[in-house]
Amino acid sequence: MREIKNISRSRAQESSAAIERLYITIRHLFNRGFYKPMGISGETLREALLSLRPEIYGSIAEEKVELSGLLYVIERLPTGIEECRFINLTSDEGYSNSHFKAIIPPKRRRNCYRIDEEQMNVEITRGRSDIYDILTHLTFIFIESHKIKNRVLIDDSGELSRDWLKMEQAVMGNKKLPLIEKEKAISHAANILGRTFAEVSAIYDDFGTADRPDRFLHIIYWLGKLAMEEILENNKRTITFSPILRERLGHHIHGEFWATNIKQVLKENELLDRPIHIISANMHSVMNSLFATHVHKAKYKDKSDFFVFEELSKAGAHDVRNKVEEFALQHGMISLPDTSGTNIDVQIFDTAKIDWQKSAFPNVKPDASAPVIIVMDYAFGEQAYETIDELLKPFQESKNKKHFLNVVSVSIMGKAGILEGGKGDIMIPSAHINEGTGDNYPFENELNAEMFEGNGIPVYAGPMVTVLGTSLQNRDLLKFFHESTWGVIGLEMEGAYYQKAIQSASKIRKSINPDVKVRYAYYASDNPLETGSTLASGGLGTTGVKPTYLITIKILEQIFNVK
């Protein structure tokens, strides 16, 4: 008789299963229409997140409150959400035309509306990835709020700790605290959070704004207050999904409006028949790569191109950036700020109108079929499929007339997490693997690692994994992807969705050239395998400027066929 082995799962397997449970649970809760995050209906979501223990959420599974993770999440949620017991996820349902003022989080482009003291509406116009992002962030802050409650409530009768009462006095004063009072409040907050005075002091000001320098205390107070009300008064926080959102999601409503608007502008400017190159990037790198050095040649005489790009990227450099934009608008650029709700702005460059001697590419040889470049701002997760899928469809000029676009190439440049190397390094993928599904998309990348060598930036090539959310990754799972035969070099959120749309349009639906060229390149925003190098450790600063422009210039050199 064969001996039955005691089979145990690795942490990577547990993590993979936890992500799958998160994915399935969120879709179930969405179909249900509402749930109570800290009640029975939210239990599976909480357990999955605690089992996963993502790097971005730090000490989520410990008794002490996670501070860096809290800052990361708060910057991606609307101001005041910590005070709201009812959070309603909606589609674009007309609030922009009301008296309600849109609240846009500093690090996420989404419109939110404070309906009353207890309710916050959050517009979902960028697909399911937006829902995964919001719900995992909310689950995290609610778990943290109950840690605060556990350290504040002394007994079941509702007696509160002295630290809480003292901190409450500071919050209720509603005025900027002088240094002495601020440090007293930090001392009490540190006891409540299970953190040292030094740890709280170090991050305190990062939560503040110009008009609310003591916002940190306000956030901790309201998180704890609502958690206590859940226990003492049974006032459970509730998340709902509007009927219109549930009806619209997955039908490409925003993406179709967005893509049709672009094609209409191409038609109006007689650009529909020209060779088209699509670039997913930010709204400055292509424009600056083309024109910035010429526009500012007198101001930055004898300086390198990358020095100019760094100056343009600095906070407050509005005047120098505006001069480049004004010049670009006079030399073939059409600006299309988003009106569809996708939050994806677009620029169209008619290269026939570019005076190449006044650009960074004086060796371009103009011809009759001058290419048209469509630059689209970054998509978010699954939204990448919706937008590119719609953009690559033929333009329906009239009921019986379709106009097929002559799409020559699609180039994707973006930020990603790296698994070998550090911030600012470059990754050139050879395939995208969709986490949790086993779907994989190998492709012939027109860019390769050799093109980027000799610029003082490390370059890595290999497969990359497209993840459900960068905030859901943990070290064990990423080490498995990196060290196993998958050989993954980095992680991002959109690559597989872009490639899925490109492959279906070119190979199956035949709406674009089956030999369309694709280019993918990413620069590293963080290394989640290194302690202190996750996204919660802060932004890139100017570290990302050189790789961003190096990638952009290599893409443009291929489009213009120059070196």
Side-chain angles (χ1 to χ4, degrees), residues 310-474:
E310 280 199 15
E311 290 300 304
L312 288 164
S313 301
K314 287 180 178 175
H318 303 296
D319 290 342
V320 286
R321 285 198 291 265
N322 289 343
K323 283 181 182 175
V324 179
E325 186 172 1
E326 286 168 17
F327 185 85
L329 290 167
Q330 293 164 10
H331 292 80
M333 187 179 90
I334 303 166
S335 180
L336 295 177
D338 180 61
T339 57
S340 67
T342 60
N343 279 308
I344 298 176
D345 296 335
V346 169
Q347 294 163 338
I348 298 172
F349 292 86
D350 177 1
T351 62
K353 293 182 179 178
I354 294 176
D355 181 346
W356 293 107
Q357 296 306 310
K358 295 179 179 178
S359 78
F361 298 90
N363 298 326
V364 171
K365 295 183 175 68
D367 59 38
S369 61
V372 173
I373 300 173
I374 299 173
V375 181
M376 57 179 283
D377 208 344
Y378 298 122
F380 187 74
E382 286 188 32
Q383 187 191 32
Y385 177 78
E386 174 178 339
T387 48
I388 288 289
D389 183 58
E390 292 296 332
L391 187 56
L392 299 181
K393 286 179 181 177
F395 178 43
Q396 194 79 40
E397 289 192 78
S398 61
K399 189 175 181 181
N400 300 313
K401 186 179 178 185
K402 284 183 180 178
H403 198 117
F404 288 81
L405 303 183
N406 179 16
V407 178
V408 180
S409 74
V410 182
S411 304
I412 311 298
M413 178 194 79
K415 289 188 295 186
I418 196 167
L419 301 180
E420 182 182 342
K423 287 185 178 185
D425 293 354
I426 289 174
M427 290 162 279
I428 309 295
S430 56
H432 287 294
I433 302 152
N434 210 344
E435 180 188 50
T437 65
D439 297 347
N440 49 80
Y441 300 88
F443 49 82
E444 194 69 39
N445 195 342
E446 296 295 313
L447 301 174
N448 60 57
E450 289 73 29
M451 294 176 183
F452 296 89
E453 289 173 354
N455 290 285
I457 299 175
V459 186
Y460 301 87
M464 292 183 70
V465 61
T466 298
V467 298
L468 191 63
T470 51
S471 59
L472 290 179
Q473 303 314 300
N474 72 10

Side-chain angles (χ1 to χ4, degrees), residues 179-192:
L179 180 62
I180 294 173
E181 295 304 316
K182 173 182 165 181
E183 291 190 340
K184 285 180 182 177
I186 288 174
S187 175
H188 295 302
N191 283 339
I192 291 167

